[in-house]
Amino acid sequence: MTESGKKINLSNNQTPMPCLKPEERVDNFNEVEKGYDKFSAENEALRCLNCVSKPCVTMCPVNIDIPGFINNICSGDLDKSYSILYNYNALPAVCGRVCPQEKQCQMACVRGRNGEPVAIGRLERYVADNHKKLNLKPEPNNGCKVAIVGSGPSGIACAKELATLGYSVTIFEALHSPGGVMLYGIPEFRLPKKILEKEISDLACLGVNIQTDVVIGKTLSIDKLLGELEFKAVYISTGAGTPKFLGIPGETLPGVYSANEFLTRINLMHAYSQEYDTPVLQAKRTVIVGGGNVAIDAARCARRLGSEVTIVYRRTETEMPARKEEIVHAKEEGIKFLFLSNPTKICAENGKITHMQCVKMEYLVNESSQEKKLCAIKNETFDLQAECVIIAIGTSPNAIIKDSCSDIEFDDRGRIKVNDETLRTSKKRVYAGGDIVTGAATVILALKYGKKAAQNIHKDLIASGDVTT
Amino acid sequence: MMVEIIDKIALNKYTSKMVLRAPDIAASAKAGQFVIIRIDEKGERIPLTIAGCDIDRGTIDIIYQKVGFTTYKLDYKNKGQSILNVVGPLGRPSELDGYKNVVIVVGGSGCAIAYPQAKALSENHAKISVICGFRSKDFIILEKELKSISDSFEMVTDDGSSGNKGLVTDVLQNKIKDGTADLVIAVGPLPMMKAVCEITKNFRVKTIVSMNTIMIDGTGMCGGCRLTVGGETKFACLDGPDFDGHKVDFDEAILRSKDSSNSKPFCGKDCNLFKGGLK
């Protein structure tokens, strides 16, 4: 018993989360993890010691009051629990599913010192999926308009904060639906689109207006937003959406996709369903190049389209940046992994891919500096038979804003330069955050930037007299 | 955002023009740019050139030839109905300033791209020669429009059913041999643009081609439109669609364009597939 009278679940292991069995999931796009029921959630919530130091809160990029929301699960008040989550995070159902908890909150959990950490992500998801709908309504309007460019997590977080402060917020989205990478990148079996739609629809309840099919820098310029259209500030959260390629021979052959193209065909355009018009290559064997979440997502999608799938990663398994649970799921689904292997050429006959040439890699240690360096092993090459190759080696910022707005400063990697504290860009009244500033990162980090930008925009608009408090 | 079809005009048996209400696009569109459309919830995203725009009316024109699933499906839409999504103007505008004597070589529905380019050049007071090639007289579009803004106009058809029988490249040779042309614009099927570039390379005349590739988002996100230009990977949606024709790897682009896995299987004529889905 603790001070509050709460029983503690002393088990060193996390309460398991029910999952579809591999054979139940490899031929469809249904969500793999099914989420806790009430009993499991309460059982797991009771593992939280509500410790004094709360290292989980410190490690969370948006500092969610984690023990606070967990305690309300124990007391059965899910609505209270959700309002705590939503206060810090505009997308709890998304983050519960896609955050790399093992590198953030759960890494710091004191229960992890002697067993498994509290399953914070699973609990977050449980609360987000099972609470009653919040009674959200627009705040009294303060008469000030703010434009947000891009409807990914950073834009959504910024919109939510600003709407809560009474701003009239419009999000401009280039695609035909909002959500950014959460929509076109993360597959249905990991983040069902109806979950995402529900979280985005909460923005509409707060009075946020989302305009799809508008490319800022093409359809409307930033100067037009700030001038004729009378927005008092602009937040640029256009992400890092442009795919990188390896630069090896054969990469422009038909049958080679960027992971973005492959995932967009499937997630945004529903190419896996006969009812939709967008097609996708149905290959017998698919090779994925890369080791991040995007590589795993693409591999698992290809598996679901009936392909035999191999992931080729140039480093070792422990270095894979992908979320651990997803690597486990991918293995269960029969996806093969080749580590310390790097592609050198994609080969074709009569315009159709036949195989990919690879070279084995090794770490060489520099004796004086003890630095490890990844090198190709001479003559240790091998061929991988495949009809489809998917390149998932990362993305870089999109260049449309850069090409269209000469008074915003960018660094040599195409990222917008901002003041770290204020998130102001070199252009007056224009702010930026998320992947367009950091390079490709996580949903939660993008959310953090969105919130921070909103607070700074508010502060600056008060200072400039555009808003009176 | 639903976009209304203000008008639909058949240009020939296979090709039609639609006038769409899209004031923001009309206000910022320039020659060489395109839109991406999605007809309905189930539809694919395809790029179509902005063939004209009227800022005062807030409209843009698109011209499509029925060649694949989505263009056939689009043709079932009529005046007064809507297209679910239209986004643009995408791509870089054509760079047409400073040229005095331009030869425009155009094949088939490439006229939809060449016409706004020719119009912009004529507003810049360039001398314009147009060489148009069509499969037969049944495929001719924009003849009157192109004639009206060109200083010389020649037409060839594959079967001689209109103009001379022959290829645009036969005419081009004669047009540029005097060395006065300072720019050639080639718009049409990839083998035609490749052949044009082989000729203009010999005469050392700068040549711009318009690369019409597969695209999904049209904003640099999918990379489906990538091609090799001067040894570098470029995206047609961000860096194009216009490129220096002497640097484009046409053989690679032709190989990519033949990839049938990226088009929905389709019988190639009006079919029952559309009747249930379109209202």
Side-chain angles (χ1 to χ4, degrees), chain B residues 13-263:
Chain B
K13 202 173 149 195
Y14 312 95
T15 313
S16 294
K17 173 166 114 172
M18 277 182 182
V19 181
L20 307 176
R21 188 184 302 288
D24 287 337
I25 301 175
S28 46
K30 298 211 163 56
Q33 292 188 294
F34 62 92
V35 289
I36 295 254
I37 69 155
R38 189 177 70 134
I39 299 170
D40 56 27
E41 265 315 314
K42 304 280 162 72
E44 64 178 336
R45 293 170 63 100
I46 61 158
L48 288 171
T49 297
I50 302 170
C53 57
D54 184 328
I55 299 178
D56 300 329
R57 287 174 71 205
T59 61
I60 59 165
D61 304 340
I62 53 170
I63 291 175
Y64 58 91
Q65 186 178 329
K66 293 190 283 174
V67 286
F69 182 87
T70 295
T71 42
Y72 268 89
K73 182 170 163 178
L74 179 61
D75 203 48
Y76 271 83
K77 291 279 184 184
N78 286 308
K79 183 177 168 177
Q81 294 181 310
S82 299
I83 294 172
L84 184 55
N85 306 99
V86 178
V87 60
L90 301 170
R92 288 179 199 264
S94 300
E95 287 169 16
L96 303 170
D97 287 348
Y99 296 104
K100 300 267 182 300
N101 189 350
V102 183
V103 180
I104 300 177
V105 191
V106 53
S109 53
C111 292
I113 301 171
Y115 176 57
Q117 290 176 325
K119 224 169 129 181
L121 284 163
S122 101
E123 281 159 16
N124 289 349
H125 310 292
K127 181 174 171 247
I128 302 166
S129 309
V130 173
I131 307 165
C132 263
F134 294 101
R135 222 183 297 173
S136 74
K137 67 176 181 6
D138 295 341
F139 288 87
I140 295 172
I141 56 166
L142 300 176
E143 181 184 0
K144 207 173 73 210
E145 288 83 350
L146 282 165
K147 258 185 188 160
S148 73
I149 49 171
S150 54
D151 299 276
S152 87
F153 180 89
E154 281 175 72
M155 190 188 310
V156 291
T157 48
D158 294 355
D159 61 359
S161 55
S162 183
N164 288 326
K165 183 174 173 173
L167 300 171
V168 286
T169 38
D170 306 336
V171 187
L172 174 66
Q173 197 103 4
N174 287 324
K175 267 276 167 269
I176 58 172
K177 68 177 175 205
D178 67 358
T180 55
D182 54 5
L183 178 70
V184 171
I185 295 177
V187 196
L190 290 167
M192 182 215 99
M193 292 195 286
K194 183 186 171 189
V196 166
C197 289
E198 277 162 9
I199 293 169
T200 58
K201 220 179 216 170
N202 289 334
F203 288 91
R204 299 210 179 94
V205 188
K206 180 171 181 180
T207 304
I208 296 175
V209 295
S210 181
M211 301 302 284
N212 186 1
T213 60
I214 289 261
M215 279 180 201
I216 302 179
D217 62 301
T219 60
M221 194 262 281
C222 77
C225 66
R226 68 193 182 278
L227 65 165
T228 306
V229 182
E232 280 178 66
T233 298
K234 297 279 180 189
F235 287 2
C237 68
L238 282 185
D239 308 310
D242 289 358
F243 290 99
D244 178 343
H246 295 160
K247 292 186 177 162
V248 170
D249 184 338
F250 278 105
D251 293 336
E252 177 192 277
I254 289 168
L255 196 60
R256 277 183 80 73
S257 74
K258 283 184 180 155
D259 179 18
S260 59
S261 63
N262 287 328
S263 20

Side-chain angles (χ1 to χ4, degrees), chain A residues 200-256:
Chain A
I200 292 177
S201 73
D202 284 346
L203 285 182
C205 301
L206 289 170
V208 173
N209 170 21
I210 302 181
Q211 287 197 24
T212 56
D213 298 325
V214 180
V215 183
I216 299 301
K218 294 283 185 190
T219 319
L220 301 171
S221 67
I222 288 181
D223 285 330
K224 190 167 179 178
L225 293 178
L226 289 170
E228 197 181 315
L229 296 173
E230 296 182 330
F231 288 95
K232 297 295 174 202
V234 176
Y235 178 58
I236 303 175
S237 50
T238 48
T242 299
K244 290 181 189 164
F245 289 94
L246 294 156
I248 60 171
E251 219 173 2
T252 49
L253 285 166
V256 182

Side-chain angles (χ1 to χ4, degrees), chain A residues 18-76:
Chain A
C19 276
L20 291 178
K21 294 194 189 83
E23 63 273 20
E24 293 170 332
R25 65 193 199 224
V26 289
D27 62 351
N28 61 66
F29 282 76
N30 298 335
E31 189 172 24
V32 167
E33 296 182 329
K34 298 171 80 161
Y36 281 151
D37 58 12
K38 186 170 187 290
F39 177 80
S40 310
E42 287 177 3
N43 192 47
E44 184 63 20
L46 288 172
R47 292 187 65 230
C48 174
L49 301 175
N50 199 13
C51 60
V52 185
S53 57
K54 304 184 198 323
C56 52
V57 178
T58 318
M59 282 296 284
C60 171
V62 295
N63 309 117
I64 294 174
D65 174 11
I66 290 166
F69 97 79
I70 290 179
N71 268 323
N72 278 291
I73 300 175
C74 306
S75 57

